[in-house]
């Protein structure tokens, strides 16, 4: 088993609650490959991630939204949806982190 990460684009610009920076988030496609004697025999359905340019905070996108962004067929609504999901995820994780300390 092996994972391949492919940089796609600087998709959205959003505030990162981990590092406090207003930066572009890098869009990546992750594909998991199964190999037999160094020959790829199976590719699993890819996952899509946004990663903060500064602190490398990763956020896994829903596959349907990732596919839209991958196909470059997204409109402002899709970018806004990705940003709002990202903010919600970070808000939840920042609260969890502060309660664990």
């Amino acid at each position: 088993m092996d994972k391949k990460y492919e940089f796609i684009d600087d998709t959205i610009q959003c505030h990162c609650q981990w590092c406090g920076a207003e930066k572009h988030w890098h869009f990546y496609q992750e594909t998991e490959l199964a190999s037999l004697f160094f020959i790829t025999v199976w590719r699993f359905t890819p996952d899509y991630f946004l990663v903060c340019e500064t602190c490398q905070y990763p956020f896994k996108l829903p596959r349907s939204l990732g596919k839209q962004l991958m196909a470059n067929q997204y409109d402002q609504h899709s970018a806004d949806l990705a940003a709002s999901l990202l903010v919600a995820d970070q808000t939840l994780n920042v609260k969890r982190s502060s309660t664990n300390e």
Side-chain angles (χ1 to χ4, degrees):
M1 299 296 287
D2 193 23
K3 290 187 180 184
K4 176 183 160 190
Y5 295 92
E6 180 182 354
F7 173 75
I8 306 301
D9 198 1
D10 293 329
T11 305
I12 63 169
Q13 185 165 346
C14 185
H15 178 77
C16 178
Q17 295 181 21
W18 268 146
C19 64
E22 181 78 25
K23 293 285 186 172
H24 279 97
W25 287 69
H26 299 299
F27 179 49
Y28 286 92
Q29 177 184 10
E30 174 196 69
T31 306
E32 194 166 357
L33 309 168
S35 300
L36 181 64
F37 300 111
F38 306 105
I39 298 171
T40 301
V41 293
W42 188 264
R43 289 179 186 256
F44 294 92
T45 305
D47 288 318
Y48 303 95
F49 290 87
L50 291 174
V51 179
C52 177
E53 182 178 60
T54 304
C55 70
Q56 305 303 308
Y57 179 91
F59 172 66
K60 184 177 178 179
L61 290 167
R63 282 193 178 134
S64 59
L65 183 57
K67 286 178 183 179
Q68 286 177 351
L69 294 172
M70 182 71 176
N72 287 330
Q73 297 174 351
Y74 65 94
D75 54 9
Q76 189 59 40
H77 175 71
S78 296
D80 291 343
L81 177 59
S84 66
L85 290 172
L86 174 63
V87 168
D89 177 72
Q90 282 198 318
T91 301
L92 181 64
N93 285 331
V94 167
K95 285 181 184 177
R96 282 185 192 160
S97 177
S98 65
T99 59
N100 289 339
E101 291 177 357

